[in-house]
Amino acid sequence: MDNQEIGRRIKHVRQHRGLTLKAVEASSGVSATHVSEIERGAASPTVGALIRIARALGKRPGFFLEENEIGEVSVVTRADRVAESVGSGVTMERLTAGIPGGCLQAAQVTLAPGRSHRSAPHAHDGVEVVLVLAGRVEVAVDGAVHGLGAGDAIHFDASRPHAYTNGSHDDPAVLLWMASRRDVV
């Protein structure tokens, strides 16, 4: 990501929100002159300055650094969805366009009979919500196992070790999976 693109994105968000350079200065503590230099690509923001500017603009710092700009509205049509293998007998269709680490990610996950999403419990920042669309699944959170059927949902702090398993020997389990602040899926 070059300075020109970072600056362009900052300026676009600032103007979209109807903020002046002085308003950003007041909220961020970064001088209006320096913000202007960053917007023009004449200066590269330090990590600290970018964090303060992003906060003043109501964005995550990563929004200004991503390779592909993510719009304010994102549509993923059924035709756009691609089933990708994320393990033996586990497929995922992403329902949200975006980048790993985005504020919210959603996917339809299908677990073949007897399969688990991961071979061992895992943990990460954020929260997860799982809605069982079809079949049955066992969700282990901190060692406690919760049996869920179609229509059941679970919500938990994802920093606690967790895993999903389809206990059926005959039928796949289909899940609507959502996570916030997730680094990797």
Side-chain angles (χ1 to χ4, degrees), residues 36-156:
S36 176
E37 290 171 342
I38 293 167
E39 287 183 353
R40 293 189 324 265
S44 179
T46 65
V47 172
L50 183 60
I51 289 169
R52 292 191 310 274
I53 292 168
R55 193 173 296 137
L57 297 174
K59 294 286 187 184
R60 296 174 304 102
F63 174 85
F64 300 104
L65 300 173
E66 301 303 338
E67 277 302 312
N68 299 311
E69 185 172 359
I70 305 301
E72 296 292 324
V73 175
S74 174
V75 175
V76 177
T77 66
R78 180 110 177 108
D80 292 336
R81 291 170 35 187
V82 176
E84 54 187 283
S85 176
V86 292
S88 177
V90 182
T91 59
M92 175 183 289
E93 292 181 47
R94 295 184 189 280
L95 303 175
T96 51
I99 48 113
C103 292
L104 177 68
Q105 294 183 33
Q108 180 175 302
V109 177
T110 303
L111 300 172
R115 295 299 184 178
S116 296
H117 180 243
R118 304 256 187 197
S119 58
H122 63 289
H124 53 84
D125 288 339
V127 296
E128 285 194 22
V129 176
V130 175
L131 169 65
V132 180
L133 300 174
R136 293 196 56 76
V137 68
E138 294 175 346
V139 180
V141 181
D142 266 345
V145 178
H146 307 274
L148 304 174
D152 295 340
I154 188 169
H155 169 260
F156 56 90

